[in-house]
Amino acid sequence: NIMHMRRLSKVVGPIGAAQSLGFPYRSVEAADATWVTEVTAAPEETAVNYGRREFKPNKMAKLIKVSRTLVGHAPIAERTVLDEILYRIQAGAENAYLNGNGTAQPLGIFTASASGINTDRDVATGNTAAAVTFDGLMEAKFSVKQQYHAGAAWIMHRDLVKMLAKVKDGEGQYIWQGSIIGGQPDRLLGHEVCMSEYAPNTYTANLYAAVFGDFKNGYWICDANQVNIQVLKELYAVTNQIGYLVDYFGDGAPVLPEAFARVKMGA
């Protein structure tokens, strides 16, 4: 499976032994400055409020055992095992960056939360209970302020990409034309489409279908340390096996809700 989130998002760290990293964010906007006369006191701002979002070193781990004989007779076997372990760590992290509940794991983009992206950023207008429409996608895109458009992208499952690619106009022509340049991603309403196996793919009433946004400004991934792998040659010697134990500590969460719009199915 292709992983998108670490490429699209802001990655900070490793932060080493720190138990948390606090990120300041504006929870309530200030009012605009006002015009006053030369000798009038500046009006005090009373609404603006700043909070701190905590990133903690949540642990992810995996153990794989392989025959000692296989590793001894086929040296490439160890490299294959290590590649598989790293892939499983990356896949588990990617899934959490999209769908995690924020408890001992990252908080995902598709999880409605006051600590991440709340339901104010859900856009269902234009969609039906069974289909996402181009009107609905435009509603989502233009619910996000222009300053976030330059670096914005879509994340959706390939099933939704297929649904959209099959939509035709009144003359039987496909509305959406994908990329015609090899190796270049498809673009939808001017923005990169990232097909993720971890995005929702159940398209029924009131469920999430896709997300649009500026991930570089809106989502942080915090590494506490690099991936650590221990080779356990003695522990499983009695069964003629070698164990490979991997762990990783990190976190992730949305830090700027207004940079995103979640596409939601209609009621």
Side-chain angles (χ1 to χ4, degrees):
N1 296 344
I2 295 178
M3 316 296 173
H4 299 287
M5 287 296 289
R6 289 188 72 90
R7 173 179 64 86
L8 294 174
S9 306
K10 181 173 182 177
V11 180
V12 297
I15 62 173
Q19 291 302 302
S20 68
L21 174 65
F23 172 78
Y25 72 100
R26 185 190 63 212
S27 56
V28 179
E29 290 187 357
D32 293 339
T34 56
W35 295 96
V36 296
T37 62
E38 183 178 353
V39 295
T40 300
E44 180 182 354
E45 172 58 47
T46 58
V48 67
N49 188 41
Y50 288 88
R52 187 173 76 161
R53 183 160 287 126
E54 295 287 344
F55 290 86
K56 297 183 178 180
N58 301 306
K59 181 178 181 180
M60 185 163 44
K62 189 74 173 178
L63 171 64
I64 294 182
K65 293 184 286 186
V66 182
S67 164
R68 182 191 296 269
T69 301
L70 176 62
V71 173
H73 291 180
I76 195 174
E78 184 172 55
R79 181 68 262 172
T80 301
V81 171
L82 295 178
D83 287 344
E84 175 71 11
I85 290 174
L86 292 174
Y87 169 76
R88 293 302 167 187
I89 287 287
Q90 292 168 350
E94 182 82 357
N95 192 11
Y97 300 148
L98 293 178
N99 303 300
N101 62 20
T103 302
Q105 61 182 272
L107 181 59
I109 290 287
F110 288 106
T111 300
S113 171
S115 299
I117 303 175
N118 60 32
T119 54
D120 291 345
R121 303 307 305 153
D122 296 349
V123 181
T125 305
N127 298 325
T128 71
V132 173
T133 69
F134 280 89
D135 282 350
L137 295 174
M138 290 183 186
E139 291 284 351
K141 173 179 175 177
F142 293 109
S143 73
V144 176
K145 293 179 180 179
Q146 183 181 359
Q147 63 260 37
Y148 302 116
H149 285 198
W154 300 91
I155 289 185
M156 60 183 69
H157 196 276
R158 56 191 164 87
D159 289 347
L160 180 55
V161 175
K162 179 174 67 173
M163 179 192 298
L164 297 170
K166 293 167 70 174
V167 176
K168 298 179 181 179
D169 62 20
E171 298 181 353
Q173 300 297 314
Y174 291 113
I175 292 177
W176 180 27
Q177 299 295 325
S179 174
I180 59 174
I181 302 176
Q184 294 297 312
D186 290 336
R187 300 186 73 82
L188 179 60
L189 302 182
H191 301 275
E192 177 186 358
V193 176
C194 302
M195 288 188 285
S196 173
E197 295 299 303
Y198 308 103
N201 68 334
T202 301
Y203 307 116
T204 56
N206 299 314
L207 296 184
Y208 291 133
V211 66
F212 171 80
D214 180 352
F215 292 82
K216 192 68 70 176
N217 284 308
Y219 195 93
W220 276 31
I221 295 171
C222 182
D223 295 329
N225 61 280
Q226 302 291 345
V227 174
N228 178 57
I229 298 176
Q230 289 181 278
V231 182
L232 309 175
K233 293 185 177 181
E234 305 300 329
L235 184 59
Y236 303 106
V238 68
T239 56
N240 193 38
Q241 292 176 301
I242 298 175
Y244 297 88
L245 178 64
V246 62
D247 61 46
Y248 160 79
F249 290 84
D251 204 356
V255 298
L256 191 60
E258 69 175 23
F260 296 100
R262 271 190 305 244
V263 179
K264 194 174 183 180
M265 306 298 292

